[in-house]
Amino acid sequence: MTDIYLSDERATDPEIAAVNAALSAAGADPADPVVILETDRLYTSGTARRRQRRHFLLPALHALQNTAGWISPGGVNYVAEMLGVPPAEIFGVASFYDLLHTEAPDHLDDVFHVCVDSPCRIEGANDLADRLRAEGKHVHLGPCLGQCERAPALFVQGCGGRPDYVPADSAATGATAKAATGATTAQASDSATTQAPDSASTKASTEQPFLLPQAPNKSLRLLRRIGVVDPCSLDSYIAHGGYTALHRAAEIGAEAVLESVAASGLSGRGGAAFPTGVKWRAVAAESAQPEQSEQPKRSKQSKHVVANCDESEPGTFKDRIVMQHDPFALIESMTIAALSTGATQGWIYIRGEYPLATTRLQNAIKSARAAGLLGTNIADTQHQFDIVVRRGAGAYICGEETALFNSLEGFRGEPRNKPPFPTTHGLFGEPTAINNPETLLNVIDIVNEGADAYRSRGTERSPGTKLFCVSGRIGHAGLYETPFGITLGELIDLAGGVTGSGQLQAVLMGGAAGSFVGPDSLGLPLTLEDTRAAGTTLGSGVVMVFDTSVDMTDVVVRIAEFFRHESCGQCVPCRVGAVRQHETLVQMQHRGRLSPQRRALIDDMAEVMADASICGLGHTAASAVRSALSLGLISQAPISPGLISQASIS
Amino acid sequence: MSTTDTSDVTTDITTDTSDVTSEATTETSDVAETITETAVTITIDGRSVAVPEGATIGAACNAAGVNTPTLCWAENLTPVNVCRVCVVELEGSRALVPSCSRIAEQGMVIHTDTERVRHSRRMVLEFLGSSVDLSQTSDLHHWMDIYDADCDRYSEDDHDAKRVDEPVKIQDELYIRDYSKCVLCYKCVEACGDDAQHTFAIAVSGRGFDARISTEFDASLPDSACVYCGNCVAVCPTGALQFKTEYDLRQAEQWRPEDQTVTRTVCSYCGVGCNLELHVQDERIVKVTSPSDHSVTSGHLCIKGRFGWQYVHG
Amino acid sequence: MFGAGGGTSSYLEVQEADVILLWGSNAREAHPIFFHHVLKALDSGSRMYAIDPRRTSSAKFADRWLGISVGTDIALANAMGREIIAAGLHDRDFIARATTGFEKYKAHVEVCTLDYAAQVTGVPAEAVRDMAHAYASAPTAQILWTLGITEHHNAVDNVVSLCNLALLTGHVGRRGSGLCPLRGQNNVQGGGDMGAIPNRFPGFQDLTDPTIRAKFEAVYRTQLNSVPGKHLTLMFEAMAAGELRACYVIGENPADSEADVAHARKLMADLDILVVQDIFMTRTAEMADVVLPASLAWAESDGTVTSSERRVQRVRAAVPPPGQARHDIDIIAELARRLGFDWGHPSAEDLWEELRSLSPMHGGMSWERLEASGGLQWPCTSEDDPGTEFLHDWLWADDLRGHAPAPFSITHHVPPAEQLSEEFPLRLTTGRALDSYNTGVQSRGYVSPIRYGDAIDVSPVDAATLGVVDGERVLVSSPRGSVEMDVRIQPDIPAGLTFTTFHFPELVDANVLTNDEWDRRSGTSEFKAAAIRITKLNSENSENSENGSKRPTNQASQANQDLERSREHAPA
């Protein structure tokens, strides 16, 4: 029985079972569909029920994709019936995401996703893809997979009910000593044939400790438990100081926490560097239940804390490592955010290419719930808070906070116009504190040791420590934590110096949305204020190193292609501008030169994208390109067509 | 995309801090969804304009007699601010803001004709003109002249800029779809969806330049949820959606809007009293619309009102 | 009960209603643009209960659908009233100030318990209670209805039963609350307003009141008959009795639209003279002695029509009428001239200005104002009167502003006149489809991709019992006659109920089946409740009907294919 127009196709039994299981896991009762047949004379349904179910759409689509290798028409019809979402809307949502396919596949094998962004493309991504193809694997070349420290990166999307996995993680959890070192670049090819793990999370307790490139030392704050704590054990987390901050927060109260966070000067680590204290204060000031008198039909029901774990800025992998190896820290810090803002619902939106982090977070939530650290009476505070984990499905744009809301709510991941801001109109239109995991982790120290102690690290205007994702032609690619203020040169030295030719050509700061700096910037102190003054950005902490042997034209054209591929298509400047920019650069690559008119055109396009796009993607889609042009990184000599074809992904 | 900013964005969002805090402190009732009589005064191109609280910058521009181009805004739809051709400069904001949806706030200083505004509008028009067929988009060519848009500069001798190139879909006798004319303004989706009809037969599918308006799996309209209210056609600004009557006349080179009269009357079917605008050419009705400012229809009709007139001509 | 007949509220107000009872109305298909306003309400958080024997496309938007048995509306309404009183949810102040007869009503509905309602209506008691509480507790609430309420032998009792609920809860006479019948034709409201009712002058003024009659006589310059005339149903009775021998039909197609239509046709055929004035050569026109071709009222003529929200709006000529077709006003004036009265050549404006001089509720609606505005809502008594958004605000004035209090009515549940029997075990009810209209004379003019023709909707349970498949041609019989129809298996109707539209009388004479039992006060026939049986045809004998169906239902297309296949394999 359905309320919407459906075609004749029907879902298969495995599809139905998978969707039902996914709905159950996501908290929806498949036995309680949007239309309830109470008797043949009484049905219950309605707009409110439909709205309440829409956010189950993405989990249901994941289940369909995983079962049949695509979002089949029959599957769409079944989900439409269960959730009350019209098929055209489901199709619109499904076709938005890279990990969901709306055309029937010609096979039911797992799909091997190979990253072709930098640094993977300069570390043998094409060779890896060729090897996999030679093994008979179905290969999909795609954007950054968040494993840049072990480039070239590989992610396996399961089909026929087999789980998704990352061979490098499986190798690590499978106790291979070599993989566990974490920083080698050769391991991916070794692990290409690795089979899917039975269950990554249950094996974690016995795995070799993960080693950061930095030896454990006192300056590690956010990373101090990485490789030390058992990521699957709440007891282990508590034994290593976990949950002291939550108890302290409960003791000192919301107001004191808000004051400390504001006083600490903590700013957002996802890239925008917005003051966390201001954000939390704004959410705390919102009433969850406004007076019923004005508009009784509408009322904001609750407030939300969202962890933006859709880490997909090319070159960024910090959150993955934290979530995989210290998941309880994220749960604890989100709970503190909830206590201090009065939020009752927590959401983790994690990118779909992070299966191990997903299972570990789910496990951590379960353990915390069992221990009364999530639920209706958190740590005896009478406060109610629980967390739901939702997987993205392959869309860079969903890291933009309002696009993330739309995606999580079951709509296309298109950004919303701001204002209004998430603090008042966030998830489900309700007040929302949305933070990057790294940002949240800082709160634990701030609560534990106070704002003054926190500010003792870093600089006056950039207090605290920063995670840096160092990758590319570097001695030891990996995740580094230092106080703000370390210079770029010091960081590169800390990471083992430039490899390849040994001569630095450029560093990409902040990822594809960031900008290139040249060797003359090695003295640049890595703080918010210094990078801003220098016309570049720290962004999410990407420090991607290119030696002089790298063809930077290829790197830059790929960045343009990345934006062309990832533009959501909503606004004209970005939808068309990203295409025109890429076309212009490809033509430049063909001709080996860029005429003054073309160069002017690039600037024209960059300006409109930065000025008139809806969101940060469009605003920044030209910044790396322009910085590369102004640094003279782009080759003006013709290159062979073979390289061009390699540069293009299908 | 966990990072999207350069320093520019950081500045932008940091300057927005004041907005966040002021909103948090001043907002006691629900945000300005209901327009009250309280006036807000803003400055547009040096002139002071008072508009009701909750009015958009675009409404203020109208009040000030400043014309603003738009493709995606319509009186009877929720603003989606996607075409970006209406952007204006707001002092204190790093990026330009869409005048169609940005709510006017006391003291805002707006510029509608700066070099930045002209540049963005010109580029948006060029981007559209280089991608889709705008030949039937009314009003736009006027703006292209004003902003000196050159849609041809994206192609080079040996390279054509990518265009949206789709065959015309003719699947019934009531209306046609020609997506090579589609600027993706979202109006049809909104009219089919929760701004009016609630049928949700079409949605935006795909992503980026490949995004298209589509039924599920591109099913033909008669096999979709479409109920042929034609409200999508009525709001389409480019002729991508066209009544079959108009399409046929255009194909026969007999479509002459300058020779048409428009007469307002009331639908002959049920008792709701929907106002119709009968577009008549050569003493024959050639299409039917409804005034978007009418309280009954808001410009929307059902299949009978929209297409049920054909018996008039036998 | 409140005087003039019209919906109390404006369409826009439904957006402000917290609870909506959609009672016997498939507005999604029959009043689609009004339903847009309902959808806006639902989007903003209103709750809707749909009371309808069928789970209509409107009911699918409801928070709850209550699938009552056909013709049990009064039992449901009275049980709601009892529950509201028993739960103490009635508005005592309102009742005391603005109503009379509450105690009698209370005593009368005392026996209408939830269990009684469940037993009579077939809907669980809990749902009745839930709806009663939701309606009574809502800050604002509206009841919307259409022909599901009025096409019954006890139409007026049905309506006043709903009015009782509004009086009980004070859901009338204020913004957002009200009682709204949705009119089926574009000027059915205007027709009544203009005096096309047997006992009323324009503006619902009483024909039998000598003062009023004198006012009209002065302007009309003739003596007017003080005896109320006959409504349509009584006219047919008079034809049957031989009292009515001549009939002048303007813009109506009774030869297709009357219940028990075969009987009606016979009566019309026996008339001494039948004059038909229409825009189409309808079946009625074909029977006529004289046909007067008229221009289209809405596209070839100037004038006004009045909508369900009492909004008077201008219709305008946009195209010339074909052939000898003439404006209705011209035809009538010409007829008058030939009968010896020279009325000249009045324009629509002239007639309107005369009308508003006689009808106080239209008094403020000058032609210029109607021309300039998007319509004016009556009552609009002076030219500075903006018109009336909702009626009966006097109910909330301490002194009722001189009005008499509104009376509660006592109504009794009486089942449909035609009871189910062994011979006719299925209930047939009728209604409209989105893309078609009444007897189809207008809507057949365009090719609708969503048209499926007049199939008979049968529940899956009954289809199985009957052994019929989707798309199968069957014989449908009522005590009045039989027609062949295609079966459409429809999961949205409960077992025991069948449904058909009546848009294609040339293909399926559906009104052969309907019952002409009628309400003595409104004159409406009980289209909504006939008793029928469905019998299988020998498939070789049945012809596959082409109802212009472009899009069969999912099941239909499958079944059609199955049918095709079985035919292919059938022995020659």
Side-chain angles (χ1 to χ4, degrees):
Chain A
M1 175 84 42
T2 176
D3 278 358
I4 31 202
Y5 184 84
L6 301 182
S7 62
D8 290 339
E9 285 90 350
R10 291 289 168 260
T12 63
D13 288 344
E15 284 175 327
I16 291 171
V19 168
N20 287 351
L23 292 179
S24 297
D29 183 356
D32 180 34
V34 66
V35 180
I36 305 171
L37 298 66
E38 303 197 23
T39 76
D40 73 334
R41 301 291 195 88
L42 180 65
Y43 283 42
T44 295
S45 183
T47 307
R49 286 184 69 79
R50 279 194 183 81
R51 290 211 174 139
Q52 285 158 8
R53 274 157 184 74
R54 176 89 189 214
H55 70 89
F56 296 117
L57 181 56
L58 208 44
L61 292 177
H62 271 299
L64 288 177
Q65 173 68 38
N66 181 250
T67 305
W70 72 309
I71 309 301
S72 67
V76 165
N77 286 345
Y78 182 67
V79 172
E81 262 183 290
M82 292 302 287
L83 302 181
V85 183
E89 293 248 310
I90 297 178
F91 182 76
V93 169
S95 60
F96 187 83
Y97 296 101
D98 274 356
L99 295 183
L100 306 176
H101 304 289
T102 50
E103 283 173 16
D106 54 5
H107 64 87
L108 283 176
D109 300 331
D110 294 351
V111 175
F112 286 66
H113 292 254
V114 175
C115 166
V116 292
D117 278 318
S118 294
C120 294
R121 71 188 295 102
I122 63 170
E123 299 294 342
N126 279 312
D127 295 342
L128 171 61
D130 288 344
R131 270 203 305 283
L132 289 165
R133 286 193 194 101
E135 289 175 28
K137 303 283 195 277
H138 293 276
V139 173
H140 178 267
L141 303 180
C144 180
L145 294 167
Q147 307 175 47
C148 322
E149 85 281 20
R150 50 195 189 197
L154 178 62
F155 159 73
V156 183
Q157 188 179 14
C159 188
R162 294 179 296 278
D164 299 346
Y165 66 103
V166 171
D169 287 335
S170 310
T173 55
T176 341
K178 189 179 176 191
T181 60
T184 63
T185 53
Q187 67 187 52
S189 56
D190 291 344
S191 59
T193 53
T194 305
Q195 292 306 300
D198 296 333
S199 168
S201 63
T202 54
K203 286 188 182 172
S205 304
T206 59
E207 78 182 69
Q208 293 282 320
F210 178 87
L211 297 178
L212 292 168
Q214 283 168 293
N217 66 72
K218 275 197 148 179
S219 75
L220 292 189
R221 304 300 310 173
L222 308 176
L223 300 181
R224 64 178 180 268
R225 279 178 301 268
I226 304 287
V228 176
V229 76
D230 177 352
C232 298
S233 162
L234 176 59
D235 290 342
S236 173
Y237 180 67
I238 291 172
H240 288 90
Y243 276 107
T244 53
L246 176 64
H247 289 294
R248 176 150 172 76
E251 199 180 299
I252 63 177
E255 184 53 38
V257 174
L258 290 173
E259 271 172 30
S260 294
V261 173
S264 73
L266 175 64
S267 62
R269 301 290 199 251
F274 187 83
T276 308
V278 173
K279 190 184 279 187
W280 286 19
R281 174 70 70 186
V283 176
E286 284 288 307
S287 162
Q289 302 276 353
E291 295 104 70
Q292 299 285 304
S293 59
E294 279 286 312
Q295 280 180 303
K297 294 198 293 183
R298 302 158 182 259
S299 59
K300 292 174 182 171
Q301 293 303 316
S302 42
K303 296 195 271 188
H304 306 268
V305 168
V306 179
N308 181 347
C309 307
D310 193 51
E311 178 175 66
S312 14
E313 183 63 48
T316 315
F317 49 87
K318 63 189 177 75
D319 300 333
R320 189 198 87 238
I321 288 177
V322 168
M323 293 185 290
Q324 281 185 190
H325 299 282
D326 195 9
F328 286 99
L330 179 60
I331 306 304
E332 182 184 2
S333 56
M334 286 178 72
T335 312
I336 294 170
L339 279 183
S340 45
T341 57
T344 54
Q345 289 188 33
W347 306 80
I348 292 175
Y349 185 94
I350 185 167
R351 68 177 302 192
E353 296 86 348
Y354 283 179
L356 180 59
T358 304
T359 47
R360 288 197 172 158
L361 285 168
Q362 284 166 332
N363 175 66
I365 289 166
K366 224 163 111 183
S367 305
R369 203 180 286 139
L373 296 164
L374 287 175
T376 49
N377 181 21
I378 296 159
D380 295 323
T381 58
Q382 306 296 317
H383 193 93
Q384 179 187 331
F385 182 65
D386 212 330
I387 301 175
V388 169
V389 178
R390 285 294 158 78
R391 292 178 65 204
Y396 169 72
I397 188 62
C398 292
E400 200 282 335
E401 57 191 14
T402 58
L404 183 152
F405 295 149
N406 278 341
S407 176
L408 205 158
E409 291 177 22
F411 294 88
R412 290 164 58 81
E414 293 170 350
R416 304 171 184 168
N417 229 72
K418 292 187 276 192
F421 294 97
T423 48
T424 57
H425 293 72
L427 188 63
F428 304 112
E430 297 172 335
T432 302
I434 177 165
N435 293 104
N436 179 269
E438 181 187 347
T439 315
L440 286 163
L441 254 58
N442 277 282
V443 173
I444 291 177
D445 268 359
I446 293 168
V447 171
N448 270 333
E449 53 175 33
D452 289 345
Y454 180 83
R455 295 193 74 105
S456 70
R457 291 177 287 274
T459 68
E460 172 62 26
R461 292 172 66 192
S462 299
T465 60
K466 177 78 191 91
L467 299 182
F468 291 103
C469 308
V470 185
S471 66
R473 293 286 161 81
I474 189 80
H476 307 292
L479 183 58
Y480 292 80
E481 179 180 15
T482 75
F484 278 104
I486 187 174
T487 66
L488 180 57
E490 287 164 355
L491 180 61
I492 290 175
D493 288 344
L494 181 65
V498 179
T499 57
S501 72
Q503 296 290 307
L504 182 68
Q505 181 173 200
V507 178
L508 179 60
M509 303 286 295
S515 60
F516 289 99
V517 297
D520 58 343
S521 294
L522 287 174
L524 178 68
L526 300 180
T527 66
L528 297 169
E529 59 277 16
D530 291 296
T531 50
R532 187 179 304 162
T536 184
T537 179
L538 284 183
S540 55
V542 171
V543 175
M544 199 184 289
V545 178
F546 300 93
D547 71 302
T548 48
S549 72
V550 176
D551 171 13
M552 293 307 290
T553 307
D554 174 65
V555 169
V556 171
V557 171
R558 170 56 201 163
I559 288 176
E561 184 182 50
F562 172 83
F563 281 108
R564 175 182 186 158
H565 181 70
E566 296 298 341
S567 169
C568 78
Q570 191 184 196
C571 70
V572 176
C574 178
R575 177 176 79 233
V576 184
V579 171
R580 297 287 176 255
Q581 173 175 268
H582 181 239
E583 285 174 341
T584 308
L585 291 172
V586 168
Q587 284 304 305
M588 173 201 77
Q589 203 175 17
H590 273 295
R591 290 158 199 267
R593 59 179 287 273
L594 191 63
S595 68
Q597 292 91 335
R598 298 283 105 181
R599 173 65 211 254
L601 187 60
I602 285 180
D603 287 340
D604 279 353
M605 297 192 289
E607 270 170 47
V608 68
M609 285 195 277
D611 260 356
S613 298
I614 291 178
C615 79
L617 190 154
H619 292 158
T620 58
S623 62
V625 170
R626 286 181 102 186
S627 68
L629 285 171
S630 53
L631 286 172
L633 294 175
I634 290 181
S635 161
Q636 300 282 316
I639 57 161
S640 73
L643 280 169
I644 295 168
S645 65
Q646 275 190 359
S648 305
I649 60 166
S650 49
Chain B
M1 184 172 86
S2 53
T3 306
T4 56
D5 72 316
T6 62
S7 52
D8 283 351
V9 175
T10 312
T11 324
D12 186 24
I13 294 182
T14 314
T15 50
D16 283 340
T17 311
S18 55
D19 291 347
V20 177
T21 40
S22 67
E23 250 187 60
T25 48
T26 58
E27 188 200 49
T28 46
S29 64
D30 220 347
V31 181
E33 281 188 354
T34 48
I35 296 179
T36 68
E37 287 310 305
T38 326
V40 169
T41 306
I42 71 173
T43 307
I44 296 175
D45 297 339
R47 271 188 296 161
S48 183
V49 183
V51 288
E53 198 180 314
T56 60
I57 293 173
C61 286
N62 284 344
V66 175
N67 278 336
T68 312
T70 184
L71 284 167
C72 69
W73 182 88
E75 186 178 7
N76 56 355
L77 301 172
T78 310
V80 288
N81 53 69
V82 298
C83 78
R84 315 304 280 188
V85 76
C86 75
V87 286
V88 295
E89 197 168 334
L90 164 63
E91 283 191 13
S93 167
R94 189 201 61 78
L96 303 178
V97 301
S99 61
C100 66
S101 64
R102 185 65 181 264
I103 304 297
E105 293 166 43
Q106 181 64 35
M108 275 181 168
V109 180
I110 305 291
H111 303 281
T112 71
D113 201 33
T114 61
E115 196 41 54
R116 280 178 74 196
V117 170
R118 294 178 63 87
H119 178 76
S120 274
R121 290 184 178 180
R122 171 195 176 195
M123 292 299 293
V124 167
L125 293 171
E126 285 185 359
F127 279 170
L128 287 173
S130 70
S131 320
V132 299
D133 171 9
L134 297 177
S135 62
Q136 291 175 21
T137 308
S138 56
D139 203 31
L140 213 57
H141 300 279
H142 155 73
W143 291 104
M144 287 193 168
D145 290 344
I146 288 179
Y147 295 118
D148 201 19
D150 172 11
C151 302
D152 297 327
R153 64 174 175 143
Y154 299 87
S155 294
E156 295 177 81
D157 304 339
D158 54 350
H159 160 77
D160 288 333
K162 188 175 180 186
R163 296 182 66 87
V164 177
D165 192 13
E166 304 259 331
V168 181
K169 292 175 191 284
I170 305 176
Q171 296 166 338
D172 51 72
E173 286 304 305
L174 300 186
Y175 70 96
I176 65 101
R177 298 181 290 159
D178 178 2
Y179 288 125
S180 60
K181 294 191 176 73
C182 174
V183 293
L184 224 64
C185 67
Y186 287 56
K187 280 176 173 172
C188 56
V189 174
E190 295 222 292
C192 187
D194 45 21
D195 265 350
Q197 181 56 28
H198 287 70
T199 291
F200 301 96
I202 48 171
V204 182
S205 69
R207 199 168 75 189
F209 198 82
D210 298 326
R212 296 286 184 276
I213 307 297
S214 176
T215 57
E216 62 274 17
F217 302 97
D218 202 21
S220 80
L221 279 182
D223 289 328
S224 77
C226 178
V227 292
Y228 292 89
C229 61
N231 291 326
C232 54
V233 186
V235 295
C236 178
T238 65
L241 302 175
Q242 216 163 83
F243 296 116
K244 185 74 169 15
T245 43
E246 174 175 345
Y247 178 78
D248 288 344
L249 284 169
R250 282 184 185 274
Q251 291 299 103
E253 296 181 2
Q254 288 298 314
W255 181 254
R256 302 188 310 277
E258 65 281 2
D259 293 339
Q260 292 172 10
T261 58
V262 180
T263 305
R264 185 160 164 171
T265 188
V266 177
C267 178
S268 66
Y269 288 95
C270 78
V272 173
C274 299
N275 280 25
L276 305 182
E277 293 162 331
L278 306 181
H279 300 244
V280 173
Q281 176 180 312
D282 300 331
E283 300 191 343
R284 292 181 72 86
I285 298 171
V286 291
K287 78 174 172 185
V288 169
T289 56
S290 181
S292 58
D293 63 351
H294 192 237
S295 72
V296 176
T297 67
S298 299
H300 305 300
L301 296 171
C302 77
I303 182 171
K304 295 187 290 290
R306 186 78 68 186
F307 299 106
W309 50 269
Q310 295 183 12
Y311 70 88
V312 173
H313 304 300
Chain C
M1 123 180 324
F2 304 110
T8 66
S9 309
S10 296
Y11 303 153
L12 284 171
E13 280 178 70
V14 81
Q15 296 182 23
E16 297 173 36
D18 293 280
V19 167
I20 297 165
L21 307 189
L22 185 70
W23 203 313
S25 163
N26 188 12
R28 175 64 163 167
E29 298 193 45
H31 302 91
I33 301 304
F34 171 75
F35 204 70
H36 282 188
H37 296 278
V38 172
L39 290 167
K40 281 209 166 68
L42 300 182
D43 280 351
S44 68
S46 304
R47 275 188 299 155
M48 181 165 84
Y49 293 80
I51 303 96
D52 201 298
R54 294 188 303 140
R55 191 157 179 267
T56 60
S57 45
S58 310
K60 288 176 183 175
F61 285 93
D63 293 79
R64 276 197 139 174
W65 165 65
L66 285 72
I68 61 169
S69 298
V70 173
T72 61
D73 307 84
I74 292 170
L76 179 61
N78 284 350
M80 280 178 71
R82 184 199 184 272
E83 175 60 24
I84 289 167
I85 296 166
L89 296 172
H90 52 303
D91 185 337
R92 292 177 181 79
D93 292 344
F94 180 85
I95 292 167
R97 180 187 62 246
T99 73
T100 55
F102 170 71
E103 288 304 328
K104 239 177 117 181
Y105 173 79
K106 181 182 171 189
H108 174 67
V109 298
E110 183 55 33
V111 295
C112 302
T113 61
L114 296 174
D115 287 339
Y116 157 84
Q119 199 187 340
V120 176
T121 66
V123 169
E126 177 276 324
V128 180
R129 179 184 181 279
D130 170 47
M131 177 164 72
H133 283 241
Y135 177 72
S137 315
T140 53
Q142 291 201 6
I143 305 180
L144 317 169
W145 70 88
T146 51
L147 302 181
I149 282 296
T150 50
E151 283 186 350
H152 283 288
H153 69 92
N154 47 357
V156 173
D157 276 354
N158 278 346
V159 172
V160 297
S161 300
L162 303 184
C163 296
N164 284 338
L165 297 177
L167 293 180
L168 205 49
T169 53
H171 281 320
V172 64
R174 334 183 251 130
R175 168 176 289 282
S177 280
L179 292 157
C180 297
L182 299 169
R183 303 302 191 167
Q185 285 89 18
N186 83 332
N187 199 29
V188 71
Q189 178 73 49
D193 298 352
M194 295 304 119
I197 307 179
N199 59 349
R200 299 280 168 177
F201 285 122
F204 298 101
Q205 298 173 87
D206 190 351
L207 178 77
T208 59
D209 182 330
T211 328
I212 288 173
R213 211 164 52 242
K215 178 174 78 171
F216 280 90
E217 286 173 344
V219 174
Y220 290 175
R221 284 172 290 148
T222 186
Q223 197 185 346
L224 295 169
N225 188 344
S226 63
V227 183
K230 297 185 192 311
H231 54 61
L232 183 58
T233 318
L234 277 178
M235 289 185 206
F236 276 96
E237 293 210 336
M239 287 182 217
E243 297 163 7
L244 194 155
R245 304 301 311 149
C247 203
Y248 180 8
V249 178
I250 305 179
E252 178 92 15
N253 184 16
D256 276 331
S257 63
E258 280 300 282
D260 191 4
V261 72
H263 181 57
R265 283 175 201 151
K266 183 179 176 305
L267 293 174
M268 284 190 290
D270 291 346
L271 287 168
D272 294 343
I273 180 167
L274 175 64
V275 180
V276 171
Q277 179 170 321
D278 208 305
I279 58 173
F280 293 108
M281 198 63 192
T282 61
R283 189 185 299 226
T284 311
E286 281 168 5
M287 299 173 67
D289 302 286
V290 179
V291 176
L292 302 167
S295 61
L296 290 171
W298 63 282
E300 295 165 354
S301 320
D302 286 321
T304 67
V305 293
T306 307
S307 74
S308 302
E309 60 171 356
R310 299 167 277 103
R311 185 180 295 277
V312 180
Q313 305 187 102
R314 284 275 281 109
V315 288
R316 296 177 179 87
V319 290
Q324 299 174 44
R326 291 163 72 174
H327 195 305
D328 289 315
I329 298 173
D330 291 346
I331 296 172
I332 291 167
E334 178 63 21
L335 195 62
R337 199 179 60 78
R338 300 205 186 177
L339 292 170
F341 300 90
D342 184 4
W343 292 352
H345 297 280
S347 67
E349 181 178 351
D350 297 337
L351 293 187
W352 179 262
E353 290 297 333
E354 177 192 276
L355 173 275
R356 79 177 181 109
S357 75
L358 288 164
S359 170
M361 71 185 207
H362 295 105
M365 299 181 184
S366 70
W367 192 255
E368 289 76 24
R369 287 185 78 192
L370 291 175
E371 195 69 57
S373 68
L376 290 166
Q377 290 170 284
W378 64 251
C380 171
T381 53
S382 67
E383 293 203 19
D384 55 5
D385 181 347
T388 305
E389 232 179 336
F390 57 91
L391 299 178
H392 313 313
D393 61 344
W394 54 267
L395 288 164
W396 294 88
D398 284 339
D399 57 356
L400 303 182
R401 281 193 234 122
H403 290 80
F408 277 93
S409 307
I410 302 302
T411 58
H412 299 270
H413 165 63
V414 182
E418 190 158 283
Q419 291 294 298
L420 301 183
S421 62
E422 263 182 48
E423 196 182 358
F424 299 104
L426 292 169
R427 178 63 74 199
L428 173 71
T429 194
T430 60
R432 282 183 189 165
L434 172 66
D435 62 351
S436 301
Y437 184 74
N438 289 3
T439 59
V441 289
Q442 297 177 78
S443 52
R444 256 170 291 156
Y446 74 106
V447 179
S448 163
I450 55 173
R451 192 164 285 160
Y452 61 84
D454 287 339
I456 183 152
D457 287 5
V458 177
S459 75
V461 173
D462 290 324
T465 310
L466 292 162
V468 297
V469 296
D470 207 286
E472 181 172 338
R473 194 84 171 157
V474 293
L475 188 70
V476 183
S477 311
S478 81
R480 288 157 296 283
S482 297
V483 289
E484 280 190 22
M485 299 178 83
D486 291 343
V487 165
R488 195 170 70 135
I489 294 179
Q490 174 55 276
D492 293 326
I493 56 175
L497 184 65
T498 63
F499 168 82
T500 184
T501 56
F502 43 83
H503 302 310
F504 306 92
E506 77 285 10
L507 296 173
V508 175
D509 227 353
N511 276 331
V512 164
L513 305 169
T514 49
N515 190 0
D516 64 348
E517 182 64 33
W518 55 280
D519 182 79
R520 295 292 139 181
R521 280 174 285 175
S522 70
T524 326
S525 291
E526 192 159 60
F527 287 93
K528 296 295 183 188
I532 60 154
R533 71 164 172 268
I534 293 175
T535 33
K536 281 175 79 76
L537 294 167
N538 185 336
S539 66
E540 265 100 323
N541 297 345
S542 73
E543 56 180 279
N544 193 18
S545 88
E546 292 285 336
N547 287 351
S549 171
K550 288 272 172 178
R551 190 167 84 181
T553 60
N554 304 335
Q555 299 91 336
S557 63
Q558 185 56 49
N560 282 334
Q561 284 166 18
D562 292 347
L563 201 61
E564 290 301 325
R565 269 185 236 117
S566 68
R567 281 195 189 124
E568 278 169 25
H569 295 125

